[in-house]
């Protein structure tokens, strides 16, 4: 069993996080329950920021709030001196409600609407990461209407895709995101942006993938971007203030996963950036990154109550919990793997291998296959680790199942930061038929 952050087993053989007994939390707030280890989130944020500081490189570490966006989380990101990456009007609204400093908000997305751009411009956010030519014109129009300017980055597709241990240099730009670096689109976008009176081009951005364990993909992408920067310096006299290399730093879900510490990714990236900047006589731009999963992923644990059991003789023991693909769609969507223990009997001896089923009416709603556990029954609670990123963020109401509550724990104290949805919440937007169809 691998325990993350402040998680430990207490004298009652219960899982404790942030000095709080998770069994007590489940009794108080119900299950399923997302529990976040705040100290671990702080530690992850600091390790990125401190590495840049140690290397004496001007940087912004922007938390990719798509991983987990709530008012309390955005406030925590602010407390830790992070910037914020938002990808929709909803995430931007959350950030504004949280009182996040607008000048450190960066707005992403491949199809931002007029209303979203207008909201960003009216709120005077730090920068917009422009994704395509349509947006370039639309944003200019929004700036003209608002009689103001906006700082932008251009998202480019560097022809590098990375996932876990593999990276592929595709050499082409077949992605829905960004301006192709190799097919001339990025050059045209830079030229267009530089000619605009309303847009201030800060630099360029790339994001090469997610759950990446190696540094190579980032280095190849940086190399390709510098190649272009040299070109743009010669052609347009353009020197970028910012180079944003995106997010995607991997975390440990199971023992097969072997991520690098944050410092290693940052050191490798900076080494490469310095080398290219030196070679091409370009000033080192400010380096921005956008970690999401690696800030919140392993800080989240979901506590479930165990319910029914079904044995398929000689084949499998199914154990069902009171959540599933509604609070964690990643196993169904990506075959994602997780580790889990019984929160109320953590160190009891393993007695059987079971498969954990969700409660949705869908065969694909399985959380974990072949998990070694003590013999669990309906008094038990299951703790699934590493659910902090893209868990609550992708939660849904399939089968009209309410979304769970979220609790932050730190230094022996618990704070409810998202209430559990009620049945009333589920029908809140429904409008009954105007006339009776049945007497
Ligand atoms: N920046 C950009 C432009 C991105 O598109 C993403 C993630 C990030 C930063 C943050 O990546 P991270 O550090 O969290 O890997 N739902 C999927 C993940 C989708 C990631 C989309 N973009 C999952 O559950 O694995």
């Amino acid at each position: 069993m691998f325990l993350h952050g402040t998680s430990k087993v207490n004298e009652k053989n219960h899982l404790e996080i942030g000095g709080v007994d998770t069994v007590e939390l489940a009794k108080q707030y119900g299950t399923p329950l997302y529990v976040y280890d705040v100290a671990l989130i702080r530690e992850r944020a600091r390790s990125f920021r401190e590495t840049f500081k140690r290397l004496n490189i001007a940087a912004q570490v922007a938390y990719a709030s798509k991983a987990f966006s709530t008012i309390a989380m955005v406030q925590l990101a602010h407390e830790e001196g992070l910037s914020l990456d938002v990808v929709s009007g909803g995430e931007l609204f959350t950030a504004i409600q949280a009182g996040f400093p607008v000048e450190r908000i960066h707005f992403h997305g491949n199809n931002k609407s007029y209303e979203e751009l207008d909201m960003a411009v009216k709120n005077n956010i730090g920068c917009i990461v422009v994704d395509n030519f349509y947006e370039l014109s639309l944003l200019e129009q929004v700036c003209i209407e608002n009689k103001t300017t906006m700082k932008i980055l251009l998202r480019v597709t560097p022809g590098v895709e990375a996932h876990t241990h593999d990276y592929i240099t595709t050499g082409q730009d077949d992605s829905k995101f960004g301006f192709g670096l190799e097919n001339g689109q990025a050059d045209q976008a830079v030229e267009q942006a530089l000619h605009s009176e309303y847009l201030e081009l800060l630099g360029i951005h790339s994001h090469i993938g997610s759950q990446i364990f190696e540094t190579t993909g980032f280095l190849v992408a940086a190399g390709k971007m510098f190649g272009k920067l040299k070109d743009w310096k010669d052609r347009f006299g353009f020197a970028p203030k910012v180079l944003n290399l995106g997010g995607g730093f991997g975390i440990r879900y199971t023992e097969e996963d072997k991520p690098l510490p944050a410092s290693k990714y940052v050191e490798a990236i900076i080494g490469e950036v310095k080398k290219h900047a030196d070679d091409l006589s370009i000033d080192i731009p400010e380096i921005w990154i956008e970690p999401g999963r690696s800030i919140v992923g392993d800080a989240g644990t979901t506590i479930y109550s165990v319910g029914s059991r079904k044995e398929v003789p000689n084949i499998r023991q199914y154990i069902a919990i009171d959540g599933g693909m509604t609070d964690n769609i990643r196993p169904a969507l990506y075959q994602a793997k997780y580790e889990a223990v019984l929160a109320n009997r953590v160190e009891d001896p393993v007695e059987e291998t079971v498969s954990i089923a969700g409660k949705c009416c869908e065969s694909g709603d399985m959380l974990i296959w072949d998990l070694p556990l003590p013999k669990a029954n309906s008094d038990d609670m299951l703790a699934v680790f590493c659910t902090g990123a893209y868990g609550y963020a992708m939660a849904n109401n399939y089968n009209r199942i309410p979304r769970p509550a979220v609790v932050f724990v730190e230094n022996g104290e618990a704070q409810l930061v998202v209430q559990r949805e009620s049945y009333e919440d589920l029908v809140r937007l429904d409008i009954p038929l105007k006339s009776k169809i049945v007497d």
Side-chain angles (χ1 to χ4, degrees), residues 64 66 85 108 155 205 207 210-211 247-249 290-293 330 334 390 394:
K66 75 202 77 180
D85 149 4
H108 270 284
R155 177 164 183 170
H205 168 282
H207 172 77
S210 220
Q211 184 64 351
F249 314 101
E290 297 167 339
R293 191 191 314 270
R330 299 190 71 258
Y334 316 116
Y390 307 107
M394 295 174 85

Side-chain angles (χ1 to χ4, degrees), residues 3 68 144 184 231 259 359 368 383 390 394 428:
L3 293 176
F68 172 53
I144 292 171
D231 195 23
K359 66 179 271 131
I368 304 178
Y390 307 107
M394 295 174 85
R428 193 170 58 86

Side-chain angles (χ1 to χ4, degrees), residues 405-416:
V406 183
V407 165
F408 276 9
V409 289
E410 187 176 29
N411 298 328
E413 285 189 18
Q415 191 192 337
L416 185 68

Side-chain angles (χ1 to χ4, degrees), residues 146-223:
N146 282 280
K147 299 191 181 57
T148 186
T149 59
M150 177 49 76
K151 294 191 172 84
I152 64 165
L153 295 183
L154 295 175
R155 177 164 183 170
V156 300
T157 315
V160 176
E161 266 176 49
H163 183 70
T164 308
H165 292 289
D166 307 318
Y167 85 91
I168 320 164
T169 313
T170 57
Q172 43 133 5
D173 310 293
D174 187 5
S175 160
K176 77 166 181 174
F177 295 109
F179 299 97
L181 206 56
E182 321 238 320
N183 62 11
Q185 288 174 345
D187 308 78
Q188 197 189 326
V190 167
E191 200 170 3
Q192 203 170 316
L194 288 173
H195 277 111
S196 169
E197 285 172 46
Y198 294 90
L199 307 178
E200 183 190 338
L201 180 60
L202 292 182
I204 53 174
H205 168 282
S206 81
H207 172 77
I208 56 169
S210 220
Q211 184 64 351
I212 302 169
F213 294 150
E214 306 276 334
T215 56
T216 325
F218 292 104
L219 307 190
V220 173

